[in-house]
Amino acid sequence: MGGAYSGLADAYFQAGDISQALTNHKRAIELEPKNALLYSNRGYLYSRINEFSKALADCNKAISLNPKLVYAYGSRGHLYFLMQKYEDALADFNKAIKIKFTHKFAIVGQSLCQHAIGNINEAIKLWQSVIELDPKYINVEKLVRDYHPAQEFVEAAREIVADLNNEHRNSTEKEN
């Protein structure tokens, strides 16, 4: 029932029109109020425009409707990261990984949280595991194309990739 509106919301989001994406998610939720994925997606959108209380309410609603919805934990982890609640974000990304151990967004989130709390080596190791899943993740633009995260998330990812490249460069120099 709400699939058409959800599809429109996704199209608007891809086009960068978060306002219209939110409008269409609202319509989809009105038609399917028990659809956890719709709340998760809308929560992610709210986090993108810094409406953190609305984002948190939607993510929590999604999790209450479906505690096994990996995307809900990813959306809430993204939100907590933006709120600089790195331990809470890491806990949600860890929950997402328990549900789907190959979920790239959650692994990226784990990496960013580890970096933010000062565990640089762990952050690099986690990012390397994402690259093993998808070699295109050597470039942060792949993350952007796949998930369209908030700019703060992207900038943190760029720092880790730079650290990873520096580590690789240093190990190569030691070998020579």
Side-chain angles (χ1 to χ4, degrees), residues 70 73-74 91-101 103 106:
V70 69
Y73 293 104
D92 275 344
F93 291 129
N94 289 342
K95 287 176 188 171
I97 292 300
K98 285 182 181 173
I99 296 167
K100 183 179 178 188
F101 73 95
H103 193 267

Side-chain angles (χ1 to χ4, degrees), residues 34-148:
K34 302 274 188 223
N35 186 327
L37 183 59
L38 296 174
Y39 287 98
S40 173
N41 290 345
R42 188 173 71 175
Y44 189 76
L45 292 173
Y46 278 133
S47 74
R48 291 291 316 279
I49 58 171
N50 298 330
E51 291 202 28
F52 295 148
S53 62
K54 289 179 181 179
L56 185 58
D58 274 356
C59 291
N60 288 340
K61 177 71 173 183
I63 290 167
S64 73
L65 289 170
N66 183 353
K68 299 230 182 258
L69 182 63
V70 69
Y71 306 109
Y73 293 104
S75 292
R76 194 169 70 180
H78 179 260
L79 167 65
Y80 283 142
F81 184 87
L82 297 177
M83 296 171 72
Q84 298 179 355
K85 293 183 174 186
Y86 303 120
E87 297 290 343
D88 291 335
L90 184 57
D92 275 344
F93 291 129
N94 289 342
K95 287 176 188 171
I97 292 300
K98 285 182 181 173
I99 296 167
K100 183 179 178 188
F101 73 95
T102 59
H103 193 267
K104 292 179 283 192
F105 187 75
I107 299 168
V108 165
Q110 287 175 316
S111 177
L112 299 183
C113 290
Q114 290 292 348
H115 195 269
I117 60 177
N119 298 331
I120 307 305
N121 290 336
E122 183 64 18
I124 290 170
K125 187 168 80 172
L126 285 161
W127 198 278
Q128 287 170 326
S129 70
V130 174
I131 293 170
E132 289 172 14
L133 289 172
D134 186 341
K136 292 180 181 174
Y137 272 73
I138 192 69
N139 185 331
V140 174
E141 298 315 310
K142 177 68 170 153
L143 168 70
V144 172
R145 282 191 305 276
D146 285 354
Y147 298 103
H148 306 282

Side-chain angles (χ1 to χ4, degrees), residues 4-14 17 20-22 24-25 45:
Y5 287 115
S6 178
L8 277 173
D10 290 341
Y12 278 116
F13 178 57
Q14 295 292 328
D17 190 341
Q20 281 300 312
L22 284 167
N24 282 284
H25 267 302
L45 292 173

